[in-house]
Amino acid sequence: MIIKPDAVSRNAIGAILKRVEDRGFKVRQMRMTRFTREEAIRFYAVHRGQPFFDGLIDFMSSGPVVPLALERENAVSNLREIVGATDAAKAAEVTIRKHFGTNIPRNAVHASDSPETATGEIAFFFGEQV
Ligand code: CMP
């Protein structure tokens, strides 16, 4: 998971972590960093060529982010359930994106979309430490 620049600037790190921990996740790794444009392009390479790509890169490199390695059973589906839909404006009422996000791409958090993606994304930020 990544807490994105909009949520960091709204002082929502703690509130988001509380929701994640209350859902039964263990925080295994966490740090604050800032994407360079090049890093954001590499992280989101799968979206290259999409009309929203440049805006996504601008936004994700606009301020600090908090990447996390999280652990629990069925982690991907459990996290995506509490995170909510990509468009924060359309996300279900009780979700993290509805509460802390605004729209796309200002949707407060990124959540890996499969265990395989999660493995790659965790390695991107934390190498082999997890
Ligand atoms: P995220 O979970 O970080 O994964 C890819 C991101 O691309 C997504 O959240 C959004 O911020 C962004 N994104 C996805 N679809 C669109 C879209 N149709 N328009 C703009 N941004 C998008």
Side-chain angles (χ1 to χ4, degrees):
M1 177 184 204
I2 306 172
I3 304 177
K4 294 188 178 187
D6 58 327
V8 172
S9 75
R10 297 174 106 169
N11 297 344
I13 298 170
I16 291 172
L17 283 178
K18 172 144 179 57
R19 287 184 178 219
V20 169
E21 290 189 313
D22 285 352
R23 181 73 176 208
F25 283 91
K26 293 269 177 237
V27 176
R28 292 283 304 275
Q29 291 284 344
M30 176 169 89
R31 67 189 175 98
M32 179 174 273
T33 185
R34 185 171 173 157
F35 276 109
T36 62
R37 287 190 61 82
E38 291 67 30
E39 286 166 344
I41 287 168
R42 195 149 47 86
F43 185 84
Y44 281 115
V46 67
H47 298 296
R48 212 177 195 140
Q50 297 286 340
F52 59 82
F53 188 71
D54 289 349
L56 177 62
I57 299 310
D58 286 346
F59 169 61
M60 288 303 292
S61 56
S62 69
V65 296
V66 178
L68 296 130
L70 300 171
E71 179 179 311
R72 73 152 281 171
E73 298 261 309
N74 299 318
V76 168
S77 54
N78 270 288
L79 188 62
R80 290 180 79 78
E81 209 176 300
I82 61 169
V83 160
T86 303
D87 186 347
K90 295 182 183 148
E93 250 350 284
V94 296
T95 60
I96 290 172
R97 282 175 168 161
K98 182 69 177 186
H99 200 90
F100 301 105
T102 312
N103 52 28
I104 324 176
R106 305 179 71 80
N107 58 2
V109 296
H110 166 78
S112 306
D113 63 7
S114 72
E116 296 71 32
T117 318
T119 302
E121 293 181 350
I122 288 168
F124 183 96
F125 289 108
F126 303 108
E128 302 303 316
Q129 301 163 46
V130 182

